[in-house]
């Protein structure tokens, strides 16, 4: 695979596109973290309930333990105070539930804000980059192994008709005749389409 072109113009566009992709991800990660922090700020009331309930539960629990030591009424008074301790426990549970809901919401919000833009990038930018890398890698191998006839054949299959019409005569027929000049021109054009340097070109560009 070859991720970047040799020619400066194509290479510059690829670098800019990749930097924009990185900036896109960085922006949404930053936005997601900021949104998560904003949502987590809403857990304050839940934390307050938890602290209040914990204090209430501990206070009534200590009072119930001491009340049971009293003669005659200690048992009933301890039971009454235990109900206060239970109420404190209920407040703790309510606070914890609220905190968990806020934390879960913050997590899913951050995940969505990152996942959706990244998924968009993966179905738009990434396939183009991978397709180019595979194509350019294959073209480079053909160039480096001297298979200019196959490069020329690729050009015949992929170049638009207006490009092929600029050749003198029928380039397909010339390719079948193994015309070295036409093969060289077609191979050079295919390399240029991929932004690669033509290291073994013989001949001049087609007009």
């Amino acid at each position: 695979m070859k991720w970047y072109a040799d020619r400066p113009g194509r290479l510059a566009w690829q670098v800019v596109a990749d930097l924009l992709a990185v900036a896109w991800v960085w922006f949404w990660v930053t936005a997601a973290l900021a949104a998560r922090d904003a949502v987590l700020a809403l857990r304050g009331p839940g934390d307050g309930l938890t602290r209040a309930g914990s204090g209430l539960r501990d206070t009534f629990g200590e009072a119930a333990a001491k009340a049971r030591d009293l003669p005659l009424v200690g048992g009933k008074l301890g039971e009454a105070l235990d109900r206060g301790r239970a109420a404190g426990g209920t407040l703790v549970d309510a606070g914890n539930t609220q905190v968990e809901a806020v934390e879960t919401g913050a997590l899913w919000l951050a995940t969505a804000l990152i996942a959706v833009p990244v998924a968009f990038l993966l179905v738009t930018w990434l396939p183009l980059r991978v397709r180019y890398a595979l194509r350019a890698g294959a073209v480079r191998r053909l160039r480096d192994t001297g298979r200019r006839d196959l490069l020329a054949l690729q050009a015949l299959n992929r170049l638009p008709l207006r490009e092929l019409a600029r050749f003198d005569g029928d380039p397909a027929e010339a390719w079948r005749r193994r015309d070295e000049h036409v093969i060289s021109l077609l191979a050079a054009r295919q390399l240029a389409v991929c932004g690669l340097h033509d290291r073994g070109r013989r001949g001049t560009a087609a007009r």
Side-chain angles (χ1 to χ4, degrees):
M1 297 176 72
K2 181 174 175 57
W3 290 99
Y4 292 99
D6 298 330
R7 296 173 181 263
R10 183 73 173 269
L11 174 61
W13 278 110
Q14 290 175 331
V15 171
V16 169
D18 290 351
L19 289 176
L20 288 175
V22 172
W24 173 267
V25 173
W26 175 84
F27 170 80
W28 283 107
V29 168
T30 302
L33 293 178
R36 183 201 62 182
D37 292 342
V39 173
L40 286 177
L42 301 176
R43 60 175 287 171
D47 289 333
L49 276 177
T50 301
R51 287 192 298 269
S54 179
L56 188 64
R57 181 183 58 193
D58 293 343
T59 299
F60 274 98
E62 293 174 1
K66 293 178 180 179
R68 288 190 177 88
D69 294 334
L70 297 176
L72 300 178
V73 296
K76 291 185 177 180
L77 183 58
E79 291 177 1
L81 292 173
D82 279 337
R83 286 193 290 272
R85 183 178 62 178
T90 301
L91 287 178
V92 170
D93 293 340
N96 288 335
T97 300
Q98 184 173 345
V99 169
E100 290 176 3
V102 170
E103 290 178 342
T104 301
L107 174 62
W108 282 109
L109 177 61
T111 301
L113 286 176
I114 294 174
V116 173
V118 169
F120 173 78
L121 200 66
L122 292 178
V123 300
T124 54
W125 166 81
L126 186 59
L128 293 176
R129 295 295 286 122
V130 171
R131 184 160 63 246
Y132 171 83
L134 292 172
R135 181 180 175 187
V139 169
R140 180 180 61 179
R141 285 193 298 273
L142 292 176
R143 180 197 66 185
D144 294 345
T145 55
R147 300 307 306 272
R148 299 180 68 80
D149 56 332
L150 294 181
L151 288 175
L153 181 60
Q154 282 188 341
L156 286 173
N157 290 327
R158 293 179 177 177
L159 289 179
L161 291 178
R162 66 176 180 276
E163 290 270 350
L164 297 176
R166 296 166 64 183
F167 286 83
D168 294 332
D170 184 356
E173 176 61 28
W175 182 87
R176 284 192 292 270
R177 288 189 286 101
R178 314 293 294 179
D179 186 315
E180 290 293 332
H181 176 68
V182 173
I183 287 176
S184 181
L185 294 176
L186 288 170
R189 188 69 187 92
Q190 181 63 22
L191 287 165
V193 167
C194 291
L196 304 181
H197 289 314
D198 184 8
R199 296 174 180 172
R201 181 177 177 182
R202 298 186 300 273
T204 58
R207 294 182 180 179

